[in-house]
């Protein structure tokens, strides 16, 4: 499938026509200096052609009036999706209006993105257009990572929270790293460091973004080319008072006169700064030190958030090409088990045909990788999935909803400790999934803060002990339980279980269960999804149209079609017995929206 990928900015437009099976670039267009008389275009690396001061619409019409490209669909990069867009979305009039409503959150980016969308939709009016959002991959951030410590009502009113950016890049390189390590991404904790003129780091825990350094805007976090990254807000108040700066001056200071450029006094090109530092320029040296220090600090913090790290990935212009930055950042990470081989680091090189190279020392417990990012290919893959899904499903099919109350799964050994030697679980009543049953047996949960008595055991026995609780239960017990797939209990809190015959303290096993759908292979075929896909489900409750995102699909012949959510979510959404949902594509009659946790990247799949 040939997908046209459009990355439309205010002063430049990048356009790539890709063949999604191999990732091959069939054609490339680069438009520079938009909005000026010096605007020009380069098509397929030919000579630059002057365009003059043209609009996005005029540029598209001029370029594509003489092209005869075969395009199956168009994928558009959109920087900010806010709370409205958590998945790739088919573009229609309503989609465009919703993106426009987010202009205040991304005034430098979303207007240019929309200009590119509208221009491309006029030229390629007979194909599907899809918006792929920088923020979407980070929609899985837990609430604790989303919120600022500010007045809650004000935050709700204006959508003031942490969204994160560079999503397609972080998702792409995490998938590439997992493939290189020959390990399912759902078994890995990966730190992806996207280091370019814009820079961010992401904690990818078992395929999901759980922390990222950029916030409500791309200004938060790491030191960047011209952006400050993290800064004391009091410093801005001081400057506004002492310098008499208005909001425009502060904005320019933070976004265009800070970062590496402000520190070095040389500019934002790291190559120039490295050269100046080698020649003895102290400000250049300080710039490199601050840049590396900030990133190293984030790596340590995010490793703590995930309870460890399996791989650290460097990507984008600086990450892929600066051995010096990789060396400086990797210093003093031995406490994490991360060591680099200096020879491998100096000679590291990545490209499309060789997208991953390892720079870890043989003693390193943590893999350190350099991975070539490919945001255009990531956008093309997401566009392809949505187009195929829309082709597959013609009518909505409902999914029954079930509320999963707190419960416990036990091993046979645990059963005997809690209920007596030789004890067996006995059925109180069957539950919806075949072969499973609510047991006569109950246990008490004893946490660091309080206890919850009379929690039902679910049979049959399992290979691992697992306690599934809600967020309310988490606070009652005094635990910090992560959102996990059932059975994934590594690096989770423990708890004490109390039964009539004894007590048992388990070292790990307490989770808040991730939303998930059980379905048979036949259901999977009907919906056009596969095991481990991640989808959105639309539910109408008391006249409200609700979207549950980040829902895991689980497929087995043993299952009955049903979506499980926990008690807290059911109460908040006013879910009642007998309600059902449909897979969502953002409000269309034909319903499907899928986000795989791993990309299919070219012929390496």
């Amino acid at each position: 499938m040939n997908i046209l990928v459009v990355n439309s900015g205010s002063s430049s437009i990048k356009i790539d026509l890709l063949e999604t099976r191999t990732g091959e670039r069939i054609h490339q267009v680069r438009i520079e200096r938009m909005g000026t008389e010096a605007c020009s275009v380069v098509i397929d690396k030919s000579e630059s052609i002057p365009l003059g001061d043209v609009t996005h619409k005029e540029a598209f019409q001029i370029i594509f009036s003489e092209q005869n490209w075969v395009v199956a669909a168009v994928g558009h990069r959109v920087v900010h999706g806010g709370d409205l867009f958590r998945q790739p979305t088919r573009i229609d009039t309503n989609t465009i209006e919703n993106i426009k409503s987010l202009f205040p959150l991304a005034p430098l980016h979303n207007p240019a993105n929309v200009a590119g969308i509208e221009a491309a939709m006029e030229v390629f009016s007979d194909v599907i257009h899809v918006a792929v959002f920088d923020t979407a991959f980070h929609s899985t951030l837990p609430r604790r990572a989303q919120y600022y410590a500010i007045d809650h009502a004000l935050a709700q009113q204006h959508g003031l929270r942490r969204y994160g950016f560079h999503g397609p890049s972080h998702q792409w390189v995490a998938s590439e790293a997992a493939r290189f390590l020959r390990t399912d991404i759902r078994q890995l904790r990966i730190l992806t460091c996207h280091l370019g003129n814009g820079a961010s780091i992401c904690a990818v825990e078992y395929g999901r973004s759980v922390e990222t350094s950029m916030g409500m805007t791309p200004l938060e976090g790491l030191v960047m080319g011209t952006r400050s990254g993290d800064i004391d807000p009091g410093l801005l108040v001081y400057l506004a008072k002492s310098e008499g700066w208005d909001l425009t001056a502060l904005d320019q200071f933070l976004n265009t006169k800070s970062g590496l450029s402000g520190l070095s006094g040389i500019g934002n090109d790291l190559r120039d700064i490295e050269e100046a530092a080698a020649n003895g320029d102290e400000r250049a040296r300080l710039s490199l030190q601050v840049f590396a220090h900030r990133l190293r600090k984030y790596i340590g913090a995010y490793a703590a958030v995930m309870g460890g790290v399996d791989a650290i990935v460097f990507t984008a212009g600086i990450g892929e090409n600066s051995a010096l930055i990789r060396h400086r950042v990797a210093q003093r990470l031995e406490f994490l088990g991360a060591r680099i081989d200096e020879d491998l680091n100096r000679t590291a090189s990545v490209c499309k045909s060789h997208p991953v190279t390892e720079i870890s020392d043989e003693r390193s417990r943590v893999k350190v990788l350099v991975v070539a990012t490919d945001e255009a290919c990531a956008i093309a893959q997401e566009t392809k999935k949505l187009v195929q899904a829309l082709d597959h499903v013609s009518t909505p099919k409902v999914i029954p909803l079930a509320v999963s109350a707190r419960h416990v799964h036990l091993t046979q050994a645990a059963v005997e400790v809690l209920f007596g030697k030789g004890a067996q679980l006995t059925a109180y009543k069957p539950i919806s999934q075949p072969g499973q049953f609510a047991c006569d047996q109950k246990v008490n949960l004893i946490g660091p803060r309080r206890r919850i008595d009379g929690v039902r055991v679910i049979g049959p026995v399992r290979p691992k002990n697992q306690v599934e609780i809600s967020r309310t239960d988490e606070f009652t017990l005094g635990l910090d339980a992560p959102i996990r797939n059932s059975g994934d209990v590594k690096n989770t809190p423990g708890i004490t279980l109390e039964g009539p015959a004894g007590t048992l303290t388990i070292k790990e096993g307490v989770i808040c269960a991730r939303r998930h759908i059980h379905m048979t292979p036949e259901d999977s075929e009907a919906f056009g999804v596969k095991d481990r896909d991640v989808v959105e489900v639309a539910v109408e409750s008391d006249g409200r149209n609700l979207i549950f995102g980040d829902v895991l699909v689980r497929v087995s012949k043993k299952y009955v079609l049903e979506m499980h959510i926990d008690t807290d979510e059911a109460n908040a959404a006013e879910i009642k017995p007998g309600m059902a949902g449909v897979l969502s594509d953002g409000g269309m009659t034909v319903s499907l929206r899928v986000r795989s946790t791993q990309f299919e990247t070219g012929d390496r799949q």
Side-chain angles (χ1 to χ4, degrees):
M1 184 181 291
N2 292 350
I3 303 292
L4 190 74
V5 176
V6 178
N7 184 347
S8 177
S10 57
S11 62
S12 66
I13 304 175
K14 298 178 182 178
I15 301 170
D16 295 89
L17 183 63
L18 294 94
E19 203 288 311
T20 54
R21 186 182 64 82
T22 64
E24 175 193 357
R25 260 67 170 180
I26 302 170
H27 295 292
Q28 282 188 328
V29 175
R30 297 293 183 263
I31 307 173
E32 301 291 343
R33 302 180 187 276
M34 289 288 300
T36 72
E37 288 295 338
C39 178
S40 63
V41 61
V42 174
I43 302 175
D44 294 334
K45 300 181 180 180
S46 62
E47 291 186 5
S48 179
I49 303 170
L51 293 178
D53 186 2
V54 294
T55 64
H56 288 69
K57 177 179 177 180
E58 291 167 341
F60 269 81
Q61 290 174 337
I62 292 170
I63 294 164
F64 291 105
S65 64
E66 299 182 4
Q67 308 297 329
N68 189 26
W69 295 1
V70 177
V71 175
V74 182
H76 296 267
R77 180 197 179 199
V78 180
V79 169
H80 216 307
D83 284 322
L84 298 176
F85 300 102
R86 296 171 179 265
Q87 300 279 11
T89 302
R90 181 173 182 173
I91 298 173
D92 55 19
T93 303
N94 186 57
T95 307
I96 293 173
E97 290 306 309
N98 282 330
I99 295 173
K100 287 181 178 179
S101 74
L102 300 170
F103 281 5
L105 293 179
L108 300 179
H109 298 93
N110 276 29
N113 299 154
V114 167
I117 289 171
E118 293 177 334
M121 290 186 78
E122 286 209 16
V123 174
F124 300 97
S125 58
D126 57 344
V127 299
I128 292 173
H129 289 249
V130 175
V132 179
F133 299 87
D134 267 29
T135 51
F137 181 56
H138 305 298
S139 65
T140 57
L141 290 179
R143 294 202 311 165
R144 70 197 72 175
Q146 290 183 16
Y147 284 91
Y148 292 109
I150 60 175
D151 179 82
H152 187 69
L154 193 66
Q156 293 292 99
Q157 179 184 349
H158 296 284
L160 307 178
R161 71 166 179 85
R162 303 183 68 252
Y163 294 96
F165 299 89
H166 292 145
S169 177
H170 287 298
Q171 187 177 2
W172 179 268
V173 298
S175 296
E176 286 284 88
R179 184 173 294 106
F180 177 82
L181 298 173
R182 298 183 179 180
T183 304
D184 192 318
I185 195 171
R186 291 172 286 261
Q187 298 175 10
L188 293 171
R189 294 162 298 174
I190 304 172
L191 292 177
T192 52
C193 307
H194 178 106
L195 309 177
N197 191 50
S200 64
I201 178 173
C202 181
V204 184
E205 183 180 37
Y206 309 132
R208 303 164 73 237
S209 171
V210 296
E211 250 296 5
T212 189
S213 57
M214 286 180 168
M216 190 185 88
T217 74
L219 184 57
E220 185 181 352
L222 303 178
V223 175
M224 299 173 233
T226 63
R227 299 177 215 158
S228 66
D230 292 341
I231 195 167
D232 182 352
L235 182 152
L236 305 180
V237 175
Y238 173 83
L239 282 176
K241 291 179 178 178
S242 61
E243 297 291 325
W245 287 358
D246 60 11
L247 295 179
T248 299
L250 284 173
D251 181 73
Q252 291 177 344
F253 169 71
L254 291 171
N255 279 291
T256 65
K257 297 180 180 179
S258 297
L260 290 172
S261 178
L263 271 170
S264 69
I266 294 170
N268 63 324
D269 193 313
L270 188 83
R271 293 167 296 187
D272 296 336
I273 296 171
E274 287 186 356
E275 183 178 354
N279 292 329
D281 188 307
E282 285 302 322
R283 284 182 60 183
R285 289 176 176 178
L286 177 63
S287 302
L288 298 177
Q289 291 166 349
V290 173
F291 183 92
H293 173 79
R294 181 81 58 86
L295 178 54
R296 191 188 311 122
K297 185 168 66 171
Y298 265 95
I299 288 173
Y302 284 10
V305 166
M306 295 192 296
V309 59
D310 301 304
I312 298 172
V313 173
F314 292 95
T315 192
I318 294 173
E320 294 172 30
N321 297 297
S322 177
L324 176 62
I325 288 297
R326 295 193 299 261
H327 161 79
R328 285 185 172 276
V329 171
Q331 286 179 333
R332 306 183 71 180
L333 293 182
E334 290 90 347
F335 76 98
L336 291 176
R339 299 170 178 263
I340 66 170
D341 182 305
E342 293 296 353
D343 290 332
L344 293 177
N345 182 46
R346 279 191 294 270
T347 60
S349 178
V350 290
C351 59
K352 178 172 174 51
S353 60
H354 181 68
V356 184
T357 189
E358 182 178 350
I359 59 173
S360 313
D361 184 277
E362 61 182 10
R363 299 167 294 171
S364 182
R365 299 192 308 275
V366 174
K367 296 294 184 182
V368 185
L369 308 174
V370 181
V371 179
T373 192
D374 194 337
E375 292 174 285
C377 205
I379 292 168
Q381 290 287 355
E382 293 283 22
T383 301
K384 173 186 175 182
K385 288 173 188 172
L386 184 54
V387 170
Q388 289 178 331
L390 291 170
D391 286 342
H392 188 93
V393 180
S394 57
T395 56
K397 183 178 179 182
V398 299
I399 303 169
L401 301 182
V403 180
S404 182
R406 69 176 78 98
H407 59 273
V408 177
H409 298 287
L410 298 174
T411 64
Q412 180 57 37
V415 170
E416 297 194 28
V417 170
L418 297 167
F419 300 101
K421 189 171 182 180
Q424 301 289 321
L425 296 178
T426 55
Y428 167 66
K429 65 177 181 180
I431 57 178
S432 57
Q433 296 306 312
Q436 298 186 33
F437 52 91
C439 300
D440 293 311
Q441 290 79 9
K442 297 181 180 180
V443 297
N444 303 325
L445 309 181
I446 304 174
R449 185 167 178 262
R450 292 180 184 170
R451 60 188 285 149
I452 299 176
D453 293 339
V455 178
R456 184 80 64 179
V457 177
I458 300 296
V461 292
R462 294 281 187 94
K464 296 179 182 178
N465 295 310
Q466 180 173 295
V467 180
E468 296 186 27
I469 60 175
S470 70
R471 284 296 182 211
T472 299
D473 296 338
E474 180 187 33
F475 282 100
T476 299
L477 293 167
L479 296 172
D480 186 9
I483 298 173
R484 290 286 181 84
N485 301 336
S486 182
D488 182 5
V489 297
K490 186 178 179 181
N491 295 314
T492 59
I495 198 168
T496 296
L497 306 176
E498 182 181 69
T503 61
L504 173 67
T505 298
I506 58 175
K507 293 183 178 180
E508 60 184 13
V510 183
I511 66 170
C512 293
R514 184 180 184 182
R515 306 168 190 135
H516 58 277
I517 302 171
H518 292 291
M519 62 174 64
T520 65
E522 291 75 21
D523 293 324
S524 170
E525 177 66 23
F527 282 112
V529 297
K530 59 183 183 297
D531 189 44
R532 302 291 187 130
D533 271 349
V534 178
V535 300
E536 287 188 340
V537 175
V539 178
E540 185 173 340
S541 175
D542 289 341
R544 296 182 298 158
N545 291 317
L546 305 175
I547 298 290
F548 289 96
D550 191 40
V551 184
L552 179 72
V553 173
R554 300 173 64 186
V555 179
S556 171
K557 292 180 179 179
K558 300 178 181 179
Y559 290 153
V560 169
L561 182 64
E562 194 171 60
M563 174 177 162
H564 289 186
I565 59 176
D566 76 18
T567 308
D568 284 353
E569 288 192 324
N571 290 339
E574 300 179 6
I575 300 298
K576 298 178 177 61
M579 293 183 66
V582 295
L583 292 191
S584 170
D585 75 342
M588 297 175 56
T589 302
V590 178
S591 56
L592 179 63
R593 175 99 57 84
V594 184
R595 188 197 73 223
S596 295
T597 55
Q598 191 158 320
F599 284 112
E600 298 177 4
T601 47
D603 55 7
R604 294 186 301 279
Q605 176 70 5

